[in-house]
Amino acid sequence: MLSMPSLRQDGQRESSKPTGWDRARLGVVVPLCVVVAVAIVCIIVAALTSAQRADEVALEREKHLFMKAVVNHGEWSMRRLKSVVDSDQAAHGNDIDRAGGAPERIAAWLKPLLDHDFVLMIGSADHVLYAQASGAQTNAQGAAAAFSQVRSLLNHLRGRTGVLPDSTVIIARGDRSKAGVSEAAFLQPLLGQLAVVTVAPVQRARADQPTAEAQPVVLTVRFIEHTLLSNIGDRLQLDNLRKIDDEAVPGDDYVFSLVDRHETPIARFAWTPKRPGAEVLQSVVPFIGIALAGFAVLAGLVLRFMRRTAATIAAGENRLRYLALHDPLCGLPNRIFFSERLEAVIADVKRRGSPAAVFYIDLDHFKDVNDTLGHPVGDELIRSVTLRLSRTLRGDDLVARLGGDEFAVITSVSSDHATLQTIAGRIIATLCAPYSINGHTIVIGASIGIAVIDQRAADAADILRYADMALYRAKNEGRNRACTYDKVMDADLSQRKLLEQDLREAIENNGLKVVYQPFMNASGETVVGVEALARWPHPVRGMIPPSEFIPIAEHSGLILDLGARVLRQACLDGKAWPGLTVAVNVSPLQFRQLDFVTLVERILAETDFDPTRLELELTESTLLGNLESAEAAMHRLKALGVRLALDDFGTGYSSLLYLRRFPFDKLKIDRSFVLSIETAADNAAIVHAIVSLGRGLGMKVTAEGVETAEQHLFLRAAGVHCMQGYRFGVPGPATDITARIATPGVYRSIEGDAAAALAG
Ligand code: C2E
Ligand code: CA
Ligand code: CA
């Protein structure tokens, strides 16, 4: 059986499966994480690219400023030179081509005004009139070398060649429309260095205005070297600005190549560029870091929260699922769970042919306990039943509570009829043992319908229906037994439905008759009483035996009306037989009616029948359930003067409990013991035991179904007080009894074949 712990394991198994919430959580968390990750990457990429872009813009600007500074320097030098050489003082007279004349004057003028490394004055015949280096008198070698290198430039200025020499870059140029050489500034490699070369023509008196070819010119040369570069660097805030040759520079430094018009590098400069982007980046990195860390913490918290929420919801889901599939009172699987499992078992049987069967268990008299002792006791009883069932069955059998007092079991032990009956017998025996709940002793019964699941099994609903039909049969056959479904029951079911309708009409229309069977004193000579028995002469089917219609009446509740009518009729008829006991059968359902005693009292009053002549026959199953209320009702009946007989003794529980506890006046030994009294030694022993038991407890003992003289003799010898059976009289109309007591001794007992024919 699937016990409580294993149910919990079931629940855990459920929880390990991915639930809808898990999938939903993945559906939310994964995109969320992706979005957050993409956002973080975007922020980082944006910061890096904008920093890089800012650095590029800054570098472009530095390059531009640097070039502009060089150009400015050239323009400035050119204008200064021009202003000096254009002055009248510089170039007056005709001593321009003469050493020691105008050139010296010009050099002297230039000296404070221009920052230069060389001054060269070239005469009209392209001879050096004057050369000065770094303020000192020039040495001829340096001047000659310098002159040789600017010669091609001079040729260009004088118009001898159209093109500018290679590796010379024009920085600025004066008005070229005028005759003669126009002033200009150039960048030009010179003496292994890069130099700013400025050129200006020396003016002559207007009268002998020379051609460009013959015009004397002044050249100044300023090497772009450390001092100039550091000036520019300081002004432009270019760190570490320097001229480089082919040496490698640190990775952070920028190398700027100055190219001529052929894009051939003529000089290389390097400086450490400003990196505003990197600086900004550096300053914001900590904040970005903090923000990302915050982001991560937040994401972590959100995830943790979601995980916890998910866990709570998953637990809730599992709990809900558990509640949806289990009975809240006893924790057993409910009908839904049972049906699901049954479908699975049916599928398994079809696939693998494994044995399986369903037990449909119905508790007898549970409702009674609930009604009389209250629901708390009823609930406790259900829990006790659950516990007993759990202990009786195997671990892998499934027990479910289908409703009120209905349980069902799926067992895979066997599909063999005998084995299933044995298991069912064990269940019944366990469930029928007395319960002690809240100080009350409770005895209930149990009936079981068995349906074997075979490979032709339809579905769960059909199997349950089969088990239900078998259960009905078990109840009809006297309860506390198990019946296995067979196909005949299907036909029975529809038959029963029709019969139930007919019975209802018969009871309402007084279609049922009451017959009486006499019972005698021990000698069998004197009628001491009669037992009222119901008869149903069916208009179509003929006489229907009580064994067929009484169960239908009990199942449908019609027995209440039927029972009351028989009782009333028996009281009315019994008045004609003074001194005779009138016994009436009482069905368990009738007896358990809360107002049963009142009903008896009323009928006695209405019919004016002597209560002391009325004997009510109860069976053991009538007493099941709430023993206290049964006992109380019996005492009330006894107080009215009514006598009580325990019918069919030996077939049911035969518990001494009933004999000891309940105030029975009479014990009726069941017919089955009498039947084989002469042949089966153990039956004889049982009869002896029952008789001495009854006598010991002060009860009268009656033997039912006495058919032969031998049985009569045996029973008489055993000490039985009364005899009932075909030997002494078959059930017949009231008139038969009236006639019989009117002429005692006329009745001839029937024996042998005749009795057997009647019994059949
Ligand atoms: P029961 O109370 O044990 O009634 C005795 C049954 O045994 C009767 O069957 C009777 O005809 C039968 N019988 C009597 N002597 C002999 C005999 O020598 N040999 C054989 N083979 N049978 C004998 P019946 O009338 O068919 O009733 C069957 C059962 O139906 C009764 O068993 C009783 O439990 C129930 N029953 C009948 N009438 C009523 C009724 O009005 N109310 C209730 N609640 N049950 C009734
Ligand atoms: Ca009886
Ligand atoms: Ca009986």
PDB file of all heavy atoms in Angstrom, residues 531-533 583-585 617 647-648 668 704 724, ligand 2:
ATOM      1  N   GLU A 531     -42.822 -16.859  12.952  1.00  0.00           N
ATOM      2  CA  GLU A 531     -41.914 -15.821  12.418  1.00  0.00           C
ATOM      3  C   GLU A 531     -42.568 -15.246  11.180  1.00  0.00           C
ATOM      4  O   GLU A 531     -42.974 -15.999  10.284  1.00  0.00           O
ATOM      5  CB  GLU A 531     -40.543 -16.410  12.080  1.00  0.00           C
ATOM      6  CG  GLU A 531     -39.622 -15.339  11.488  1.00  0.00           C
ATOM      7  CD  GLU A 531     -38.223 -15.843  11.152  1.00  0.00           C
ATOM      8  OE1 GLU A 531     -37.921 -17.034  11.409  1.00  0.00           O
ATOM      9  OE2 GLU A 531     -37.434 -15.036  10.618  1.00  0.00           O
ATOM     10  N   ALA A 532     -42.682 -13.944  11.156  1.00  0.00           N
ATOM     11  CA  ALA A 532     -43.286 -13.280   9.999  1.00  0.00           C
ATOM     12  C   ALA A 532     -42.233 -13.155   8.909  1.00  0.00           C
ATOM     13  O   ALA A 532     -41.123 -12.686   9.157  1.00  0.00           O
ATOM     14  CB  ALA A 532     -43.789 -11.897  10.400  1.00  0.00           C
ATOM     15  N   LEU A 533     -42.582 -13.571   7.688  1.00  0.00           N
ATOM     16  CA  LEU A 533     -41.649 -13.505   6.569  1.00  0.00           C
ATOM     17  C   LEU A 533     -42.335 -12.836   5.390  1.00  0.00           C
ATOM     18  O   LEU A 533     -43.488 -13.145   5.079  1.00  0.00           O
ATOM     19  CB  LEU A 533     -41.175 -14.912   6.190  1.00  0.00           C
ATOM     20  CG  LEU A 533     -40.372 -15.643   7.280  1.00  0.00           C
ATOM     21  CD1 LEU A 533     -40.356 -17.147   7.024  1.00  0.00           C
ATOM     22  CD2 LEU A 533     -38.932 -15.094   7.342  1.00  0.00           C
ATOM     23  N   ALA A 583     -42.550 -13.287  15.894  1.00  0.00           N
ATOM     24  CA  ALA A 583     -41.186 -12.802  15.617  1.00  0.00           C
ATOM     25  C   ALA A 583     -41.180 -12.054  14.295  1.00  0.00           C
ATOM     26  O   ALA A 583     -41.753 -12.507  13.310  1.00  0.00           O
ATOM     27  CB  ALA A 583     -40.221 -13.977  15.573  1.00  0.00           C
ATOM     28  N   VAL A 584     -40.509 -10.904  14.307  1.00  0.00           N
ATOM     29  CA  VAL A 584     -40.406 -10.089  13.080  1.00  0.00           C
ATOM     30  C   VAL A 584     -38.935  -9.774  12.831  1.00  0.00           C
ATOM     31  O   VAL A 584     -38.209  -9.382  13.748  1.00  0.00           O
ATOM     32  CB  VAL A 584     -41.217  -8.779  13.217  1.00  0.00           C
ATOM     33  CG1 VAL A 584     -41.053  -7.913  11.967  1.00  0.00           C
ATOM     34  CG2 VAL A 584     -42.693  -9.088  13.473  1.00  0.00           C
ATOM     35  N   ASN A 585     -38.521  -9.960  11.558  1.00  0.00           N
ATOM     36  CA  ASN A 585     -37.129  -9.647  11.204  1.00  0.00           C
ATOM     37  C   ASN A 585     -36.927  -8.136  11.072  1.00  0.00           C
ATOM     38  O   ASN A 585     -37.758  -7.441  10.500  1.00  0.00           O
ATOM     39  CB  ASN A 585     -36.752 -10.320   9.885  1.00  0.00           C
ATOM     40  CG  ASN A 585     -36.737 -11.822  10.021  1.00  0.00           C
ATOM     41  OD1 ASN A 585     -35.854 -12.395  10.655  1.00  0.00           O
ATOM     42  ND2 ASN A 585     -37.765 -12.482   9.472  1.00  0.00           N
ATOM     43  N   GLU A 617     -36.144  -9.946  15.592  1.00  0.00           N
ATOM     44  CA  GLU A 617     -34.944 -10.720  15.250  1.00  0.00           C
ATOM     45  C   GLU A 617     -33.903  -9.796  14.626  1.00  0.00           C
ATOM     46  O   GLU A 617     -34.149  -9.166  13.591  1.00  0.00           O
ATOM     47  CB  GLU A 617     -35.308 -11.856  14.284  1.00  0.00           C
ATOM     48  CG  GLU A 617     -36.245 -12.865  14.931  1.00  0.00           C
ATOM     49  CD  GLU A 617     -36.376 -14.137  14.096  1.00  0.00           C
ATOM     50  OE1 GLU A 617     -35.763 -14.204  13.006  1.00  0.00           O
ATOM     51  OE2 GLU A 617     -37.097 -15.054  14.533  1.00  0.00           O
ATOM     52  N   ASP A 647     -30.497 -13.442  15.419  1.00  0.00           N
ATOM     53  CA  ASP A 647     -30.798 -14.324  14.282  1.00  0.00           C
ATOM     54  C   ASP A 647     -29.508 -14.806  13.613  1.00  0.00           C
ATOM     55  O   ASP A 647     -28.461 -14.154  13.705  1.00  0.00           O
ATOM     56  CB  ASP A 647     -31.633 -13.509  13.272  1.00  0.00           C
ATOM     57  CG  ASP A 647     -32.462 -14.410  12.375  1.00  0.00           C
ATOM     58  OD1 ASP A 647     -32.354 -15.643  12.492  1.00  0.00           O
ATOM     59  OD2 ASP A 647     -33.224 -13.855  11.558  1.00  0.00           O
ATOM     60  N   ASP A 648     -29.602 -15.905  12.935  1.00  0.00           N
ATOM     61  CA  ASP A 648     -28.498 -16.419  12.102  1.00  0.00           C
ATOM     62  C   ASP A 648     -27.184 -16.541  12.870  1.00  0.00           C
ATOM     63  O   ASP A 648     -26.114 -16.295  12.308  1.00  0.00           O
ATOM     64  CB  ASP A 648     -28.262 -15.531  10.870  1.00  0.00           C
ATOM     65  CG  ASP A 648     -29.510 -15.386  10.020  1.00  0.00           C
ATOM     66  OD1 ASP A 648     -30.412 -16.234  10.154  1.00  0.00           O
ATOM     67  OD2 ASP A 648     -29.578 -14.432   9.226  1.00  0.00           O
ATOM     68  N   LYS A 668     -30.679 -17.675  17.785  1.00  0.00           N
ATOM     69  CA  LYS A 668     -31.167 -18.593  16.750  1.00  0.00           C
ATOM     70  C   LYS A 668     -29.983 -19.178  15.988  1.00  0.00           C
ATOM     71  O   LYS A 668     -29.252 -18.454  15.306  1.00  0.00           O
ATOM     72  CB  LYS A 668     -32.118 -17.846  15.790  1.00  0.00           C
ATOM     73  CG  LYS A 668     -33.418 -17.410  16.464  1.00  0.00           C
ATOM     74  CD  LYS A 668     -34.399 -16.789  15.464  1.00  0.00           C
ATOM     75  CE  LYS A 668     -35.164 -17.863  14.705  1.00  0.00           C
ATOM     76  NZ  LYS A 668     -36.216 -17.263  13.860  1.00  0.00           N
ATOM     77  N   GLU A 704     -32.884 -23.215  13.706  1.00  0.00           N
ATOM     78  CA  GLU A 704     -33.627 -22.924  12.474  1.00  0.00           C
ATOM     79  C   GLU A 704     -33.390 -24.034  11.462  1.00  0.00           C
ATOM     80  O   GLU A 704     -32.390 -24.731  11.517  1.00  0.00           O
ATOM     81  CB  GLU A 704     -33.101 -21.640  11.825  1.00  0.00           C
ATOM     82  CG  GLU A 704     -33.336 -20.377  12.601  1.00  0.00           C
ATOM     83  CD  GLU A 704     -32.865 -19.189  11.781  1.00  0.00           C
ATOM     84  OE1 GLU A 704     -31.643 -19.045  11.540  1.00  0.00           O
ATOM     85  OE2 GLU A 704     -33.724 -18.404  11.368  1.00  0.00           O
ATOM     86  N   GLN A 724     -37.540 -24.738  14.667  1.00  0.00           N
ATOM     87  CA  GLN A 724     -38.225 -24.072  13.551  1.00  0.00           C
ATOM     88  C   GLN A 724     -37.713 -24.719  12.277  1.00  0.00           C
ATOM     89  O   GLN A 724     -36.524 -24.971  12.138  1.00  0.00           O
ATOM     90  CB  GLN A 724     -37.893 -22.562  13.549  1.00  0.00           C
ATOM     91  CG  GLN A 724     -38.598 -21.781  12.458  1.00  0.00           C
ATOM     92  CD  GLN A 724     -38.226 -20.290  12.492  1.00  0.00           C
ATOM     93  OE1 GLN A 724     -37.483 -19.856  13.377  1.00  0.00           O
ATOM     94  NE2 GLN A 724     -38.761 -19.536  11.564  1.00  0.00           N
TER      95      GLN A 724
HETATM   96 CA    CA B   2     -35.374 -14.570  11.044  1.00  0.00          CA
END
